[in-house]
Amino acid sequence: MSSQLEQAKRLAKEAPQQAIELYSSVLFADSTSSYTVADREAALLSMAALFERMQDAAALTKLINGSQGYLTSVSKAKSSKLIRTLVDRFNGIEGGIQPQIATCQGMVEWAKGENREYLRQALETRLISLYLDNRMYTEALSLISLLLSELKKLDDKMQLVEVHLLESRVYMAIKNLPKSRAALTSARTAANSIYTPPPLQAHLDLQSGTLHAEEGDFKTAYSYFFETMEGLSVYVTPKSVDEDAASASAAGDLSSGGSPASFEQRQLQAFAYMLLCKIMIQQPDDITALLATGKTASKFRDHRAVAALQAVAKAQKQRSLADFERVLSEHREELQNDELIRNHLTALYDTLLEQNLVRLIEPYSRVEIAHIAKLIGLPIRVVENKLSQMILDKVFCGILDQGNGCLVVFPETKHDSTYETTLDTIKSLSNVVESLYVKAATL
């Protein structure tokens, strides 16, 4: 490593602007200079890491666009790896998704001009993921359609798995579960014919579990989330790993899944979904045993998201609506940011509210709505709307006497099967008469 790079590395924390100037002098030096290709590469990656630390998306965009001359001077494999690493640096910048999309689109055009088809396809796959994160579903589906037609002609199985997986995630985001499942089936079909790296297999399992959870099959979903967590365990390094090693790992290809930090985050997500499944199948007691066993589970025991789900399980066990609302309020960030957890906890809240209301109105044939609202600790309007919905859903028989502010509950009427039995008897007699008529006609 040259002396300028060493000096820039020392100045990176105390005087970042001076460090940037030194890195630039190495990266953009004349071809006649003594700097090697490795020196230029180190300067480029160090500058990108410094801009990420400074939260400067504009400077990082300018660096990527300005380094295209250097990228053409190295091998295609090396330049592809560097471009993906540079684009991924936006992940650590707050609000950097729009500049990342714009930069990725620019690099796609550059790859087209340089006739680098594999790099273009890899960048377009990354662009689809960015569209998904930014909720640009129409653009994502359009690009998926074009990319799939190309990849099927090339028979690039690995890339097909990734694109089909992204397609499944996009369709699930727009609540088109049949198409999401079809895309996931296509991804698994392509994955069965090749060696699938464990991180990519973990993504497939996570998507499978999410789909099963959306369809209400929480037991199957739990097994997929468990496979996801265990599949990533060998890729998670200790927290003492230095930044350079993490950066080198992040520079891997798209199928590797990312850095150790992203693997650990994905593990935590899968573990949180496992706890959610236990809550949704009314087995909150299993959560304590789950946290007490297993090296991976114990690692996340003190995490805020895990603690929030433990509190939800406790409230569910006690069937306490007040405790449930308090947990949702205290842990809003952990429970509301993830769409799957948010949706299912909303459904669980409705179920708990319904169970509590049924328990409260059970002794009465006529009761004031205000009294029920007081007992359950909710506004009258909320209780009235829920009771109305329960009557329409035929949870119990009754009417709302809004003039007197009362709920009138009727005894549950038993189903009278006389009419169905009579119709079946008439049908059987008709068949007998028809049979006799046919036999009489043959005499």
Side-chain angles (χ1 to χ4, degrees):
M1 183 181 291
S2 67
S3 58
Q4 275 191 288
L5 287 176
E6 293 177 353
Q7 184 181 357
K9 191 174 181 179
R10 288 195 298 269
L11 291 170
K13 291 184 179 179
E14 298 175 358
Q17 290 300 329
Q18 294 181 27
I20 290 170
E21 291 176 3
L22 290 172
Y23 284 136
S24 298
S25 65
V26 174
L27 177 60
F28 301 111
D30 297 334
S31 56
T32 57
S33 64
S34 60
Y35 299 119
T36 63
V37 174
D39 290 337
R40 293 172 189 270
E41 180 184 342
L44 177 62
L45 293 176
S46 298
M47 280 181 72
L50 194 55
F51 288 140
E52 181 186 11
R53 194 181 306 138
M54 294 167 64
Q55 299 290 297
D56 194 342
L60 183 55
T61 301
K62 186 177 179 182
L63 171 66
I64 294 173
N65 293 331
S67 62
Q68 291 177 359
Y70 163 71
L71 293 171
T72 55
S73 66
V74 298
S75 66
K76 290 185 177 182
K78 173 68 73 175
S79 64
S80 299
K81 187 177 181 180
L82 287 173
I83 289 169
R84 293 197 293 267
T85 304
L86 293 173
V87 170
D88 285 343
R89 280 295 178 186
F90 283 99
N91 294 338
I93 299 177
E94 186 176 354
I97 190 165
Q98 287 294 349
Q100 190 175 16
I101 289 173
T103 302
C104 203
Q105 289 171 336
M107 294 309 294
V108 166
E109 295 301 321
W110 176 79
K112 287 180 181 178
E114 293 291 322
N115 199 27
R116 300 190 178 188
E117 293 301 315
Y118 289 106
L119 174 60
R120 176 185 61 80
Q121 291 167 358
L123 287 172
E124 285 180 341
T125 304
R126 184 75 180 94
L127 189 57
I128 292 168
S129 178
L130 293 173
Y131 283 153
L132 175 60
D133 293 340
N134 205 36
R135 301 179 184 274
M136 300 168 65
Y137 304 127
T138 304
E139 292 84 349
L141 289 173
S142 300
L143 189 53
I144 284 170
S145 179
L146 293 172
L147 194 54
L148 282 177
S149 61
E150 289 184 22
L151 294 173
K152 287 175 182 177
K153 291 177 184 177
L154 295 172
D155 200 30
D156 188 346
K157 298 291 188 184
M158 184 68 72
Q159 199 81 356
L160 270 173
V161 173
E162 294 179 15
V163 177
H164 276 306
L165 179 58
L166 287 169
E167 183 185 19
S168 177
R169 291 177 59 199
V170 172
Y171 278 124
M172 191 175 68
I174 60 177
K175 302 303 179 185
N176 191 336
L177 296 185
K179 285 193 174 182
S180 178
R181 180 162 292 284
L184 182 61
T185 302
S186 299
R188 286 196 171 278
T189 302
N192 287 338
S193 59
I194 57 170
Y195 168 74
T196 308
L200 183 57
Q201 183 62 48
H203 278 71
L204 289 171
D205 290 336
L206 184 64
Q207 181 65 10
S208 297
T210 305
L211 270 174
H212 280 287
E214 288 286 356
E215 294 170 351
D217 186 3
F218 294 104
K219 289 187 177 180
T220 307
Y222 179 89
S223 63
Y224 276 116
F225 294 141
F226 179 80
E227 290 296 330
T228 300
M229 190 179 69
E230 291 300 313
L232 291 174
S233 59
V234 295
Y235 285 85
V236 178
T237 57
K239 291 185 178 180
S240 60
V241 66
D242 61 17
E243 186 178 340
D244 293 338
S247 299
S249 178
D253 61 4
L254 294 175
S255 62
S256 67
S259 64
S262 69
F263 291 143
E264 188 162 0
Q265 185 63 31
R266 191 70 64 182
Q267 259 195 323
L268 174 60
Q269 184 184 18
F271 185 63
Y273 288 169
M274 287 169 62
L275 300 184
L276 177 67
C277 289
K278 289 295 184 183
I279 292 171
M280 296 306 295
I281 59 178
Q282 308 289 322
Q283 294 178 352
D285 292 333
D286 291 355
I287 291 179
T288 305
L290 185 62
L291 289 168
T293 58
K295 184 178 179 181
T296 306
S298 61
K299 178 174 60 177
F300 299 121
R301 188 180 300 149
D302 299 326
H303 197 277
R304 288 179 58 84
V306 175
L309 287 168
Q310 281 183 279
V312 169
K314 185 177 180 181
Q316 182 205 32
K317 183 179 179 181
Q318 296 175 351
R319 295 179 64 186
S320 172
L321 204 60
D323 289 349
F324 195 91
E325 286 185 325
R326 179 179 53 78
V327 171
L328 291 180
S329 177
E330 291 177 355
H331 301 277
R332 181 173 299 275
E333 183 179 350
E334 292 81 12
L335 299 177
Q336 298 296 320
N337 286 347
D338 190 286
E339 187 176 1
L340 184 71
I341 293 176
R342 181 176 67 250
N343 292 342
H344 286 294
L345 288 186
T346 301
L348 181 62
Y349 175 82
D350 287 339
T351 303
L352 274 178
L353 177 56
E354 190 173 297
Q355 290 174 351
N356 277 267
L357 286 173
V358 168
R359 181 165 51 87
L360 288 174
I361 67 176
E362 191 175 6
Y364 302 101
S365 60
R366 184 181 182 91
V367 60
E368 290 185 355
I369 298 174
H371 178 64
I372 299 174
K374 182 180 179 181
L375 290 175
I376 204 168
L378 290 175
I380 295 176
R381 176 59 58 184
V382 174
V383 174
E384 187 176 328
N385 289 338
K386 185 61 181 178
L387 288 172
S388 175
Q389 180 187 340
M390 290 168 67
I391 292 171
L392 291 173
D393 292 340
K394 298 182 179 179
V395 176
F396 65 91
C397 297
I399 59 170
L400 289 174
D401 185 355
Q402 291 182 314
N404 296 316
C406 294
L407 170 69
V408 181
V409 183
F410 302 137
E412 188 174 349
T413 56
K414 294 182 179 180
H415 179 67
D416 190 354
S417 60
T418 304
Y419 294 110
E420 287 85 351
T421 306
T422 304
L423 287 172
D424 289 339
T425 304
I426 293 172
K427 185 177 179 181
S428 298
L429 286 172
S430 177
N431 291 335
V432 170
V433 171
E434 289 290 337
S435 177
L436 290 172
Y437 177 79
V438 171
K439 289 181 178 181
T442 59
L443 294 176

